[in-house]
Structures are given as C-alpha cells and as structure tokens.
Amino acid sequence: MIRLTQTTSLQQKMAPQLIHSLRLLQMPTLELGQIIQQELETNPLLEIAEEVDQDEEEPEEEEPEEEDELELDELEFDDADLDDVQFDGEDWNDYLNDSGYSSPPGEYDPGVEEWESDGTGQRSLEEDLQEQLLLTDLAGEDRTIGEYIIGNIDEDGFLRSKVEDIANILGVDPEDVKRVLRVIQTFDPPGVGAWDLRECLMIQLKEQDLEDSLAMVVVRDHLDDLINRRYGKIRRTLGMGKDEIGEVEEVISGLNPKPMVYREARINHNLVIPDLEVQKVGEEYVVSLTDRNIPSLQVSPIYRTLLSQSDKAGPEAKKFVVDRLNSARWFISAIYQRRMTMLKVMRCIVENQRMFFDQGPGHLKPMVLQEVADRVSMHISTISRVSNGKYVQTPHGVFELKYFFDGRLIREDGEDVSAKSVKEKIAKLVQEEDPQTPLSDQQIANMLKEEGIEIARRTVAKYRDQLKINSARYRKAI
C-alpha cells in the first residue's frame, strides 16, 4: 500500500558563497593566483587595480566596510557619476557577451611562470631506453625483442618478466632474449633491466671493470650478510681484514640500489612556495604574506555606465550586471578575509612559539588547534584549513603551518615538552653517536630521562621509525 506522508526536519546547509570562501582559505597562494585569473576572465566587472608600492605595509586588520547587496529597484546614481562613454544596443550586447579579459602589456599574468620548471615534463624511462635501442645494431626480430623487454621494465628500472615467459610470448629462442637483454643492461641508467638488487649491483660493478673484485664476490655470495651488517661472518668466510671489508663497503655504497635513483635526484618533488614569511626585525618577529605576485582587484567603474544604459537592453541585462557586481565585490572581500585570517593565525603561532623562532626546532612548545582558535576567536575548522597546505619561511627553514601544532609530553619538573622537540633530540643523539657502538633505544630513553623527559623505550622506537632512522644494529659501522 502506497502512502504519502509529510515530515519536517531541520538541516544546516552552507551557502554556496560560504563554501567558495572556505575553499579560497584552504588554497595555497599559487593556486589562488589561478583562481583569480579565472574570475578575471569570467567577470567583466572585475579588474586589476593600479599597482601599489611593494614596500607598503600590510593592511590593518580591520573589517572592510559592509555594503548591502544591491537590489534592482534600489540602484540609483547621479548623472555626475556616469562615465562619458555612451553605449548603444549593439555596444551593450558586445560588452556583456565579452567573457574574456586581456591584461595590458606589463600587467600580472598568472599564466607565465617566473620560476624554473621542477622537471615534471622530464622524459620517461621507457622513452630514454627506446631511444638508446635505436642507436644499437639490433634489427628485425632482435629489435622486437628489445622493445618488448623495455616495455616490461617497471618504474624502478627492474625487469619483472622472466626470460622464458618473454620467449614464449614472442615465439623466439630464450637464448636470443638473453642476448638482447645483455645489450639493454648496458644502457643508462646503470643497472637497468636487472631482476633484483643483487643483479643490479653486479651489472654496475661489471661496468666499472670490477668483475673480479672482492666487492663482486660479496655482492654475489654474501649480500644478505652485508645488508644485515654481519661483517664478522663475511670476514671469516672470505679471510678478509677489517680494512678490506671497509673498502668493499665503500665501493658498494657508491652503487645505485635502484636504477632510477639517478633520475629521481634531478627532480625536487618537495618544491614548495611559502605563503607566509617571518623575519626578525630588531627584537620582534614580523609576519608578512608572500603574495606580492597576486594582483590587487577592484570593481570596474564601468558598471555605473552599464547600469545607466541598461533600460535599452531590458531588465535581464540589468540583472546580469548586478549579479556580476555583487559577485566581484564578494570575491574581493573573500580574498581580503583570507589574507587577514592567515596573518592572524601566523602571528598567534609566532607569539606562542617564540622559543622556536629564537632557538630552533628543538624548542617547539606543545600547541593544539583549539588554543589558536580561542586566541583569534575563530572556529577550529578555520584554523585547520589555514594550517594545512600552507608553508611559512622562517629563520630556521620552511615549515608547514601544521608543523607547529603538536602533542605534549610531561617532564619530571611538570613542564610540558613538544613531541617534535623530543624527536629532534633523538635525531641529534643519533647524529652524534659513535658509529662503532650506536645507541640502542633503551640507551636513548635513559639519556632523555637524564634531561628530565620521561619516555618509554617503545616510544623512542616509534619516534625513531617516524624519523626514518634505522635501529642500532643497522647503524653500526665497520
């Protein structure tokens, strides 16, 4: 039986403008520049303001004057406010239909990058290998085998298909596959086409004419012992002295464990452009935005002329102008609020983390999002949006804003200490340890306890793993 029922419920929905405003707040400066360009292209009433002095101080943290939403029946302008330009019907339509914005020469153009490429357009490994294959004497069936082998080399440079499988698929002799593979294994990068780490290292040693060296013997027969630092076992088996095993390790450590390591070094995947900057001026720290390349926006005064002539085009045209006008004014206000919010949050962080800015990362204080939210009278979600994906240039390096928010440990004297500060101390202890007798996790915990920091051995192990530091066994040198 079908019934119609009526129910009532309360739902909280955010207005589209509020959602857009939150997105602007979360965007890094580089992405904001692209959004501004899109707005300039789609809103003819939004334009770039005249250039201001770059040394001009940051705007005061005052709210912009509130202006009521413009209604169609409330728009009244004096004749003196109207532009001298007159539009007839065709001019009006041409202007309203113009969806593009052309920046005059010399103006800001977000489409032009002022920094060097980070290498994202670099050629792929397969393209490089195929090009090297063309320079060989391989032809006909051998060329086909070579192309198939290259197509089965993974992103690390290793061949994941067996010779027998390749031979069966192509219907060729396995010996022919091996012969072509040996040619490909002479290509750059060194070690490409190997099946595993052992073969990768052996290929590189052969290229260095070390085929009959002790390093080749260790890689071929004792690689597992070398990886696990069982130097005594290697020395007893091969009758090597301490100096000899040291030389062998030095040679092997100079090889690439993955063929693609040499290519990855060309690209800085962690390149970031700071959104904020903190500089020490005298005894105080000054916070500034790094958005100097972001253009200042204003509402084009041409809207008054368009509205005065709108009767010729009808109410729809007038509504179009009013909608674009309100959109332009809101967008300018949203960007202003974004800048002020970022400055407020960063200034609060600097005030709370003064010891960090004075003495460095080892002196970071515990701080949570709610503390900053209470100080600046904002919602914790707003602080979260500001701190994620935003970076600040400090006297001690570039940090993401969320780096300054951290949990706490309690010292014996009752004073709080940041977990990140404890990690810094662990990293420093490992850096300064004797490589012949590296510190165990328990020894590190005992040394921290001497400084008044109560921490368990398993917590030290957890922090060490997060810092990507090997255990004492794997840090031991010969």
Short mmCIF file of all heavy atoms in Angstrom, two decimals, residues 395-446:
data_model
loop_
_atom_site.label_atom_id
_atom_site.label_comp_id
_atom_site.label_asym_id
_atom_site.label_seq_id
_atom_site.Cartn_x
_atom_site.Cartn_y
_atom_site.Cartn_z
N PRO A 395 63.38 31.87 9.97
CA PRO A 395 64.85 31.90 10.05
C PRO A 395 65.48 30.51 10.14
O PRO A 395 66.67 30.35 9.93
CB PRO A 395 65.12 32.72 11.32
CG PRO A 395 63.90 33.57 11.50
CD PRO A 395 62.77 32.73 11.00
N HIS A 396 64.66 29.50 10.45
CA HIS A 396 65.18 28.14 10.60
C HIS A 396 64.76 27.22 9.45
O HIS A 396 64.91 26.00 9.55
CB HIS A 396 64.70 27.54 11.93
CG HIS A 396 65.05 28.39 13.11
ND1 HIS A 396 66.33 28.55 13.57
CD2 HIS A 396 64.25 29.16 13.92
CE1 HIS A 396 66.33 29.36 14.61
NE2 HIS A 396 65.09 29.75 14.85
N GLY A 397 64.20 27.77 8.38
CA GLY A 397 63.79 26.97 7.24
C GLY A 397 62.31 27.13 6.93
O GLY A 397 61.61 27.97 7.52
N VAL A 398 61.84 26.33 5.98
CA VAL A 398 60.44 26.37 5.54
C VAL A 398 59.68 25.26 6.24
O VAL A 398 60.10 24.09 6.22
CB VAL A 398 60.33 26.22 4.02
CG1 VAL A 398 58.87 26.22 3.57
CG2 VAL A 398 61.08 27.36 3.32
N PHE A 399 58.54 25.61 6.85
CA PHE A 399 57.73 24.64 7.58
C PHE A 399 56.27 24.79 7.18
O PHE A 399 55.81 25.91 6.91
CB PHE A 399 57.86 24.83 9.09
CG PHE A 399 59.24 24.63 9.63
CD1 PHE A 399 60.14 25.69 9.70
CD2 PHE A 399 59.66 23.39 10.08
CE1 PHE A 399 61.41 25.52 10.19
CE2 PHE A 399 60.94 23.20 10.58
CZ PHE A 399 61.82 24.26 10.63
N GLU A 400 55.57 23.67 7.15
CA GLU A 400 54.12 23.74 7.01
C GLU A 400 53.53 24.23 8.32
O GLU A 400 54.02 23.90 9.40
CB GLU A 400 53.55 22.37 6.63
CG GLU A 400 52.09 22.41 6.21
CD GLU A 400 51.59 21.07 5.69
OE1 GLU A 400 52.35 20.08 5.79
OE2 GLU A 400 50.45 21.01 5.22
N LEU A 401 52.48 25.02 8.24
CA LEU A 401 51.92 25.60 9.46
C LEU A 401 51.49 24.54 10.47
O LEU A 401 51.60 24.74 11.68
CB LEU A 401 50.73 26.51 9.12
CG LEU A 401 51.06 28.01 8.97
CD1 LEU A 401 52.04 28.24 7.83
CD2 LEU A 401 49.80 28.83 8.74
N LYS A 402 51.02 23.40 9.97
CA LYS A 402 50.58 22.37 10.90
C LYS A 402 51.76 21.76 11.66
O LYS A 402 51.55 21.05 12.65
CB LYS A 402 49.80 21.28 10.17
CG LYS A 402 50.62 20.41 9.24
CD LYS A 402 49.74 19.34 8.61
CE LYS A 402 50.53 18.41 7.70
NZ LYS A 402 49.66 17.39 7.07
N TYR A 403 52.99 22.03 11.22
CA TYR A 403 54.17 21.56 11.95
C TYR A 403 54.20 22.11 13.37
O TYR A 403 54.69 21.46 14.30
CB TYR A 403 55.44 22.00 11.20
CG TYR A 403 56.72 21.77 11.96
CD1 TYR A 403 57.37 20.54 11.92
CD2 TYR A 403 57.30 22.79 12.72
CE1 TYR A 403 58.56 20.33 12.61
CE2 TYR A 403 58.48 22.59 13.42
CZ TYR A 403 59.10 21.36 13.36
OH TYR A 403 60.27 21.16 14.06
N PHE A 404 53.66 23.33 13.55
CA PHE A 404 53.73 23.99 14.85
C PHE A 404 52.69 23.47 15.83
O PHE A 404 52.69 23.86 16.99
CB PHE A 404 53.57 25.50 14.67
CG PHE A 404 54.66 26.12 13.84
CD1 PHE A 404 54.47 26.37 12.49
CD2 PHE A 404 55.88 26.42 14.39
CE1 PHE A 404 55.46 26.93 11.72
CE2 PHE A 404 56.90 26.98 13.63
CZ PHE A 404 56.69 27.24 12.28
N PHE A 405 51.79 22.61 15.37
CA PHE A 405 50.79 22.03 16.25
C PHE A 405 51.22 20.61 16.60
O PHE A 405 51.42 19.78 15.71
CB PHE A 405 49.41 22.02 15.58
CG PHE A 405 48.92 23.41 15.26
CD1 PHE A 405 49.15 23.97 14.01
CD2 PHE A 405 48.23 24.15 16.20
CE1 PHE A 405 48.69 25.24 13.70
CE2 PHE A 405 47.78 25.42 15.91
CZ PHE A 405 48.01 25.96 14.66
N ASP A 406 51.35 20.34 17.89
CA ASP A 406 51.89 19.05 18.28
C ASP A 406 51.40 18.68 19.66
O ASP A 406 51.02 19.54 20.46
CB ASP A 406 53.43 19.12 18.27
CG ASP A 406 54.06 17.74 18.34
OD1 ASP A 406 53.38 16.77 18.00
OD2 ASP A 406 55.24 17.66 18.74
N GLY A 407 51.42 17.37 19.94
CA GLY A 407 51.04 16.88 21.26
C GLY A 407 52.12 17.18 22.28
O GLY A 407 53.14 17.81 21.98
N ARG A 408 51.91 16.69 23.50
CA ARG A 408 52.84 17.06 24.55
C ARG A 408 53.26 15.85 25.38
O ARG A 408 52.54 14.88 25.52
CB ARG A 408 52.21 18.11 25.46
CG ARG A 408 50.97 17.63 26.22
CD ARG A 408 50.32 18.80 26.93
NE ARG A 408 49.75 19.73 25.97
CZ ARG A 408 49.45 20.99 26.25
NH1 ARG A 408 49.68 21.47 27.44
NH2 ARG A 408 48.94 21.77 25.34
N LEU A 409 54.47 15.95 25.91
CA LEU A 409 54.96 15.03 26.93
C LEU A 409 55.25 15.87 28.18
O LEU A 409 55.48 17.08 28.09
CB LEU A 409 56.25 14.33 26.46
CG LEU A 409 56.10 13.42 25.22
CD1 LEU A 409 57.47 12.96 24.78
CD2 LEU A 409 55.22 12.24 25.53
N ILE A 410 55.25 15.23 29.33
CA ILE A 410 55.45 15.96 30.57
C ILE A 410 56.81 15.61 31.16
O ILE A 410 57.16 14.44 31.31
CB ILE A 410 54.33 15.63 31.59
CG1 ILE A 410 52.98 16.04 31.00
CG2 ILE A 410 54.58 16.35 32.90
CD1 ILE A 410 51.81 15.72 31.90
N ARG A 411 57.59 16.64 31.46
CA ARG A 411 58.89 16.46 32.09
C ARG A 411 58.71 16.14 33.58
O ARG A 411 57.64 16.32 34.14
CB ARG A 411 59.73 17.72 31.93
CG ARG A 411 60.08 18.05 30.49
CD ARG A 411 60.68 19.45 30.40
NE ARG A 411 61.79 19.62 31.31
CZ ARG A 411 63.07 19.51 30.96
NH1 ARG A 411 63.38 19.22 29.71
NH2 ARG A 411 64.03 19.70 31.83
N GLU A 412 59.81 15.72 34.19
CA GLU A 412 59.76 15.43 35.61
C GLU A 412 59.44 16.67 36.45
O GLU A 412 58.86 16.57 37.52
CB GLU A 412 61.11 14.84 36.06
CG GLU A 412 61.34 13.41 35.56
CD GLU A 412 62.65 12.85 36.08
OE1 GLU A 412 63.50 13.67 36.52
OE2 GLU A 412 62.82 11.63 36.06
N ASP A 413 59.85 17.84 35.95
CA ASP A 413 59.59 19.08 36.69
C ASP A 413 58.19 19.61 36.43
O ASP A 413 57.85 20.71 36.87
CB ASP A 413 60.63 20.14 36.34
CG ASP A 413 60.70 20.42 34.85
OD1 ASP A 413 59.83 19.93 34.11
OD2 ASP A 413 61.62 21.12 34.42
N GLY A 414 57.36 18.85 35.69
CA GLY A 414 55.99 19.26 35.43
C GLY A 414 55.82 20.14 34.21
O GLY A 414 54.71 20.43 33.79
N GLU A 415 56.91 20.54 33.56
CA GLU A 415 56.84 21.39 32.37
C GLU A 415 56.52 20.55 31.14
O GLU A 415 57.01 19.43 31.00
CB GLU A 415 58.16 22.13 32.18
CG GLU A 415 58.15 23.13 31.04
CD GLU A 415 59.47 23.86 30.91
OE1 GLU A 415 60.27 23.82 31.88
OE2 GLU A 415 59.72 24.44 29.85
N ASP A 416 55.70 21.11 30.24
CA ASP A 416 55.35 20.40 29.02
C ASP A 416 56.47 20.50 28.00
O ASP A 416 57.17 21.52 27.91
CB ASP A 416 54.06 20.98 28.41
CG ASP A 416 52.84 20.68 29.26
OD1 ASP A 416 52.92 19.75 30.07
OD2 ASP A 416 51.83 21.40 29.12
N VAL A 417 56.62 19.45 27.18
CA VAL A 417 57.58 19.48 26.10
C VAL A 417 56.92 18.88 24.86
O VAL A 417 56.16 17.91 24.95
CB VAL A 417 58.87 18.70 26.47
CG1 VAL A 417 58.54 17.25 26.78
CG2 VAL A 417 59.90 18.78 25.35
N SER A 418 57.19 19.46 23.71
CA SER A 418 56.58 19.01 22.47
C SER A 418 57.16 17.68 22.02
O SER A 418 58.35 17.40 22.19
CB SER A 418 56.80 20.07 21.38
OG SER A 418 56.56 19.55 20.10
N ALA A 419 56.30 16.84 21.43
CA ALA A 419 56.77 15.56 20.89
C ALA A 419 57.78 15.79 19.78
O ALA A 419 58.74 15.02 19.63
CB ALA A 419 55.58 14.75 20.38
N LYS A 420 57.58 16.84 18.98
CA LYS A 420 58.53 17.14 17.90
C LYS A 420 59.90 17.52 18.49
O LYS A 420 60.94 17.19 17.92
CB LYS A 420 58.00 18.26 17.01
CG LYS A 420 56.90 17.84 16.07
CD LYS A 420 56.64 18.92 15.01
CE LYS A 420 55.58 18.47 14.01
NZ LYS A 420 54.24 18.46 14.57
N SER A 421 59.91 18.21 19.61
CA SER A 421 61.17 18.55 20.25
C SER A 421 61.90 17.30 20.70
O SER A 421 63.13 17.20 20.60
CB SER A 421 60.92 19.48 21.44
OG SER A 421 60.38 20.72 21.01
N VAL A 422 61.16 16.33 21.23
CA VAL A 422 61.76 15.06 21.64
C VAL A 422 62.35 14.34 20.43
O VAL A 422 63.45 13.77 20.50
CB VAL A 422 60.73 14.17 22.35
CG1 VAL A 422 61.32 12.81 22.68
CG2 VAL A 422 60.22 14.85 23.62
N LYS A 423 61.63 14.38 19.30
CA LYS A 423 62.16 13.76 18.08
C LYS A 423 63.45 14.43 17.64
O LYS A 423 64.40 13.77 17.18
CB LYS A 423 61.11 13.83 16.97
CG LYS A 423 59.89 12.96 17.21
CD LYS A 423 58.89 13.12 16.06
CE LYS A 423 57.62 12.32 16.34
NZ LYS A 423 56.62 12.48 15.26
N GLU A 424 63.49 15.76 17.75
CA GLU A 424 64.72 16.48 17.39
C GLU A 424 65.87 16.03 18.28
O GLU A 424 67.00 15.86 17.81
CB GLU A 424 64.48 17.98 17.53
CG GLU A 424 63.51 18.57 16.53
CD GLU A 424 64.12 18.70 15.15
OE1 GLU A 424 65.36 18.65 15.05
OE2 GLU A 424 63.34 18.85 14.18
N LYS A 425 65.60 15.83 19.57
CA LYS A 425 66.65 15.39 20.48
C LYS A 425 67.12 13.99 20.13
O LYS A 425 68.33 13.69 20.18
CB LYS A 425 66.14 15.44 21.92
CG LYS A 425 65.85 16.84 22.45
CD LYS A 425 65.34 16.81 23.87
CE LYS A 425 64.99 18.21 24.37
NZ LYS A 425 66.20 19.07 24.45
N ILE A 426 66.19 13.12 19.76
CA ILE A 426 66.56 11.75 19.36
C ILE A 426 67.44 11.79 18.11
O ILE A 426 68.48 11.11 18.04
CB ILE A 426 65.31 10.90 19.12
CG1 ILE A 426 64.57 10.67 20.44
CG2 ILE A 426 65.67 9.57 18.47
CD1 ILE A 426 63.23 9.97 20.27
N ALA A 427 67.03 12.59 17.13
CA ALA A 427 67.82 12.70 15.90
C ALA A 427 69.21 13.24 16.18
O ALA A 427 70.21 12.78 15.60
CB ALA A 427 67.09 13.61 14.90
N LYS A 428 69.30 14.20 17.11
CA LYS A 428 70.61 14.77 17.44
C LYS A 428 71.48 13.75 18.16
O LYS A 428 72.69 13.65 17.89
CB LYS A 428 70.42 16.01 18.32
CG LYS A 428 71.71 16.76 18.60
CD LYS A 428 71.45 18.03 19.39
CE LYS A 428 72.76 18.77 19.65
NZ LYS A 428 72.52 20.01 20.44
N LEU A 429 70.90 12.97 19.06
CA LEU A 429 71.67 11.93 19.76
C LEU A 429 72.21 10.90 18.79
O LEU A 429 73.38 10.47 18.91
CB LEU A 429 70.79 11.25 20.82
CG LEU A 429 70.43 12.08 22.06
CD1 LEU A 429 69.42 11.34 22.93
CD2 LEU A 429 71.69 12.41 22.87
N VAL A 430 71.40 10.50 17.82
CA VAL A 430 71.85 9.52 16.83
C VAL A 430 72.95 10.11 15.95
O VAL A 430 73.92 9.43 15.59
CB VAL A 430 70.65 9.05 15.97
CG1 VAL A 430 71.13 8.20 14.80
CG2 VAL A 430 69.66 8.27 16.83
N GLN A 431 72.79 11.37 15.61
CA GLN A 431 73.79 12.03 14.75
C GLN A 431 75.14 12.12 15.44
O GLN A 431 76.19 12.04 14.79
CB GLN A 431 73.29 13.42 14.37
CG GLN A 431 74.19 14.16 13.40
CD GLN A 431 73.63 15.52 13.02
OE1 GLN A 431 72.62 15.95 13.55
NE2 GLN A 431 74.30 16.19 12.10
N GLU A 432 75.13 12.30 16.75
CA GLU A 432 76.38 12.49 17.49
C GLU A 432 76.93 11.19 18.09
O GLU A 432 77.96 11.21 18.76
CB GLU A 432 76.15 13.51 18.61
CG GLU A 432 75.80 14.90 18.09
CD GLU A 432 75.45 15.87 19.22
OE1 GLU A 432 75.33 15.39 20.38
OE2 GLU A 432 75.31 17.08 18.95
N GLU A 433 76.26 10.05 17.88
CA GLU A 433 76.70 8.80 18.47
C GLU A 433 77.96 8.27 17.81
O GLU A 433 78.33 8.68 16.70
CB GLU A 433 75.59 7.75 18.35
CG GLU A 433 75.38 7.28 16.92
CD GLU A 433 74.21 6.31 16.77
OE1 GLU A 433 73.55 6.03 17.76
OE2 GLU A 433 73.96 5.87 15.61
N ASP A 434 78.61 7.35 18.49
CA ASP A 434 79.79 6.67 17.93
C ASP A 434 79.30 5.60 16.96
O ASP A 434 78.59 4.67 17.36
CB ASP A 434 80.60 6.03 19.06
CG ASP A 434 81.87 5.35 18.55
OD1 ASP A 434 82.09 5.34 17.32
OD2 ASP A 434 82.61 4.80 19.39
N PRO A 435 79.63 5.70 15.66
CA PRO A 435 79.13 4.71 14.69
C PRO A 435 79.59 3.29 14.99
O PRO A 435 78.97 2.32 14.56
CB PRO A 435 79.69 5.19 13.35
CG PRO A 435 80.54 6.36 13.61
CD PRO A 435 80.47 6.72 15.04
N GLN A 436 80.67 3.15 15.75
CA GLN A 436 81.15 1.81 16.09
C GLN A 436 80.25 1.16 17.15
O GLN A 436 80.07 -0.05 17.17
CB GLN A 436 82.58 1.90 16.64
CG GLN A 436 83.58 2.51 15.67
CD GLN A 436 83.86 1.61 14.47
OE1 GLN A 436 83.68 0.40 14.57
NE2 GLN A 436 84.28 2.20 13.37
N THR A 437 79.69 2.00 18.02
CA THR A 437 78.78 1.49 19.07
C THR A 437 77.53 2.36 19.11
O THR A 437 77.39 3.21 20.00
CB THR A 437 79.48 1.52 20.44
OG1 THR A 437 79.95 2.85 20.70
CG2 THR A 437 80.64 0.55 20.47
N PRO A 438 76.64 2.22 18.15
CA PRO A 438 75.44 3.07 18.10
C PRO A 438 74.54 2.87 19.31
O PRO A 438 74.56 1.81 19.95
CB PRO A 438 74.75 2.62 16.80
CG PRO A 438 75.27 1.24 16.54
CD PRO A 438 76.66 1.22 17.07
N LEU A 439 73.77 3.89 19.63
CA LEU A 439 72.90 3.87 20.80
C LEU A 439 71.67 3.01 20.55
O LEU A 439 71.04 3.09 19.49
CB LEU A 439 72.45 5.30 21.14
CG LEU A 439 73.55 6.29 21.51
CD1 LEU A 439 72.96 7.70 21.61
CD2 LEU A 439 74.22 5.88 22.81
N SER A 440 71.34 2.19 21.53
CA SER A 440 70.10 1.42 21.45
C SER A 440 68.94 2.30 21.87
O SER A 440 69.13 3.39 22.44
CB SER A 440 70.18 0.19 22.37
OG SER A 440 70.23 0.61 23.74
N ASP A 441 67.72 1.85 21.62
CA ASP A 441 66.54 2.62 22.01
C ASP A 441 66.48 2.83 23.52
O ASP A 441 66.10 3.91 23.99
CB ASP A 441 65.26 1.91 21.53
CG ASP A 441 65.16 1.87 20.02
OD1 ASP A 441 65.81 2.71 19.37
OD2 ASP A 441 64.45 1.00 19.49
N GLN A 442 66.87 1.81 24.29
CA GLN A 442 66.86 1.95 25.74
C GLN A 442 67.89 2.96 26.21
O GLN A 442 67.63 3.74 27.13
CB GLN A 442 67.12 0.58 26.39
CG GLN A 442 66.97 0.58 27.91
CD GLN A 442 65.57 1.00 28.34
OE1 GLN A 442 64.58 0.39 27.94
NE2 GLN A 442 65.47 2.04 29.15
N GLN A 443 69.05 2.97 25.58
CA GLN A 443 70.07 3.95 25.94
C GLN A 443 69.59 5.37 25.65
O GLN A 443 69.83 6.29 26.43
CB GLN A 443 71.37 3.66 25.18
CG GLN A 443 72.10 2.42 25.67
CD GLN A 443 73.31 2.10 24.81
OE1 GLN A 443 73.26 2.12 23.58
NE2 GLN A 443 74.43 1.79 25.47
N ILE A 444 68.91 5.55 24.52
CA ILE A 444 68.38 6.87 24.18
C ILE A 444 67.32 7.29 25.20
O ILE A 444 67.29 8.44 25.65
CB ILE A 444 67.78 6.86 22.76
CG1 ILE A 444 68.90 6.66 21.72
CG2 ILE A 444 67.02 8.16 22.47
CD1 ILE A 444 68.39 6.50 20.29
N ALA A 445 66.45 6.34 25.58
CA ALA A 445 65.42 6.64 26.58
C ALA A 445 66.07 7.04 27.91
O ALA A 445 65.61 7.98 28.57
CB ALA A 445 64.51 5.43 26.77
N ASN A 446 67.17 6.37 28.29
CA ASN A 446 67.86 6.71 29.54
C ASN A 446 68.50 8.09 29.47
O ASN A 446 68.48 8.85 30.45
CB ASN A 446 68.93 5.66 29.84
CG ASN A 446 68.33 4.30 30.15
OD1 ASN A 446 67.16 4.18 30.51
ND2 ASN A 446 69.12 3.24 29.98
#
